[in-house]
C-alpha cells in the first residue's frame, strides 16, 4: 500500500535538535502591494525569535529583481534580528527558480559539513510567477506560506505546495497569530 498524506504525522522536534530552517523570501514588486512584504518580514522576525528559543539554525534567501541572494547564511539563530530584516527591500521580477537553485546549493554545502541535520524549507510568496520551480532536493520538509490575498487570487501557492508535497497556509492567518504590531514594525 503506498504512503498517503493521512499516514503522516507532523511531530515537533525537541529543542536543540539541530533543525535548519531555510526561508525563501519573495521580495518581488508584487509583494510590495498590500504590505505583503511587510507581513512576510514580520513573520520572519517572529520566527527568528522562535528559532532562537528552540536553539535551531536559520538560513534566509531573498529573491526579487534578477536573482536570489543569500541574506543569512546557515547559522544558529540569534536573538536580535530587527535591523537586518528591516533593511530587506523589494522590487522587480520573481526569480523563484533561482531561489530554489541557490537554496539547494547552500543546503548541499551545509549537509556536507553538518551530517544528519533536518532541513525545513519555508517558501513565503504570493506566487505571482508562471513556472513552478522544482521542489528543493535538499529540504526534508517544505512549507508554503501564501501571500496572494488580493481580490483576484491565482491559487499558484497551493499548486506549488501540491507539486512539492508541502503544506500551504494563507499568510493572513499566520499574521493574525503573530499579531499586527510585529508585522508593521518591520
Amino acid at each position: 500500500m503506498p504512503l498517503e498524506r493521512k499516514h503522516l504525522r507532523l511531530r515537533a522536534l525537541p529543542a536543540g535538535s539541530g533543525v535548519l530552517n531555510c526561508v525563501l523570501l519573495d521580495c518581488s514588486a508584487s509583494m510590495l502591494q498590500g504590505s505583503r512584504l511587510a507581513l512576510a518580514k514580520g513573520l520572519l522576525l517572529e520566527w527568528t525569535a522562535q528559532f532562537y528559543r528552540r536553539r535551531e539554525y536559520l538560513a534566509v534567501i531573498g529573491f526579487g529583481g534578477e536573482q536570489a541572494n543569500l541574506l543569512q547564511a546557515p547559522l544558529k539563530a540569534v536573538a536580535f534580528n530587527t535591523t537586518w530584516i528591516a533593511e530587506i527591500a523589494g522590487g522587480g521580477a520573481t526569480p523563484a527558480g533561482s531561489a530554489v537553485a541557490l537554496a539547494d546549493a547552500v543546503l548541499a554545502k551545509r549537509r556536507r559539513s553538518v551530517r544528519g541535520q533536518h532541513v525545513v524549507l519555508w517558501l513565503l510568496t504570493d506566487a505571482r510567477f508562471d513556472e513552478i520551480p522544482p521542489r528543493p532536493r535538499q529540504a526534508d520538509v517544505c512549507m508554503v506560506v501564501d501571500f496572494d490575498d488580493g481580490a483576484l487570487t491565482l491559487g499558484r501557492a497551493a499548486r506549488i505546495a501540491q507539486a512539492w508535497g508541502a503544506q500551504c497556509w494563507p499568510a493572513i492567518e499566520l499574521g493574525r497569530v503573530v499579531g499586527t504590531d510585529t508585522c508593521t514594525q518591520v
Side-chain angles (χ1 to χ4, degrees):
M1 179 167 80
L3 189 63
E4 295 178 13
R5 189 176 205 90
K6 65 183 178 182
H7 297 118
L8 303 175
R9 291 190 187 114
L10 185 60
R11 183 173 41 133
L13 296 171
S17 61
V19 171
L20 170 58
N21 293 280
C22 181
V23 178
L24 302 185
L25 178 62
D26 184 346
C27 300
S28 65
S30 62
M31 286 290 285
L32 297 175
Q33 298 173 6
S35 300
R36 293 173 182 157
L37 185 57
L39 175 58
K41 289 164 55 174
L43 288 172
L44 178 59
L45 182 61
E46 178 62 28
W47 289 351
T48 59
Q50 291 176 17
F51 301 154
Y52 170 74
R53 286 191 296 273
R54 292 192 311 241
R55 307 295 188 253
E56 294 180 353
Y57 294 79
L58 172 68
V60 180
I61 294 172
F63 61 103
E66 298 301 314
Q67 63 185 5
N69 295 299
L70 184 61
L71 303 177
Q72 175 72 46
L75 296 169
K76 190 164 274 215
V78 297
F80 303 104
N81 299 287
T82 306
T83 302
W84 71 266
I85 291 174
E87 292 173 355
I88 297 172
T94 315
S98 175
V100 170
L102 180 56
D104 271 335
V106 168
L107 296 173
K109 182 178 178 184
R110 178 70 180 190
R111 285 193 184 278
R112 286 190 296 273
S113 63
V114 180
R115 301 231 184 260
Q117 189 167 45
H118 187 76
V119 176
V120 179
L121 185 130
W122 299 86
L123 174 62
L124 283 65
T125 186
D126 62 2
R128 295 282 174 157
F129 46 87
D130 293 327
E131 192 173 320
I132 294 177
R135 184 187 191 282
R137 294 182 314 271
Q138 298 296 325
D140 297 309
V141 175
C142 292
M143 307 288 184
V144 178
V145 181
D146 184 3
F147 286 83
D148 190 12
D149 59 357
L152 176 63
T153 60
L154 302 177
R156 289 183 180 148
R159 289 199 298 270
I160 292 169
Q162 183 178 18
W164 288 9
Q167 292 182 345
C168 185
W169 290 284
I172 196 70
E173 289 181 20
L174 293 177
R176 286 189 198 115
V177 172
V178 170
T180 55
D181 290 344
T182 305
C183 298
T184 57
Q185 289 174 3
V186 290

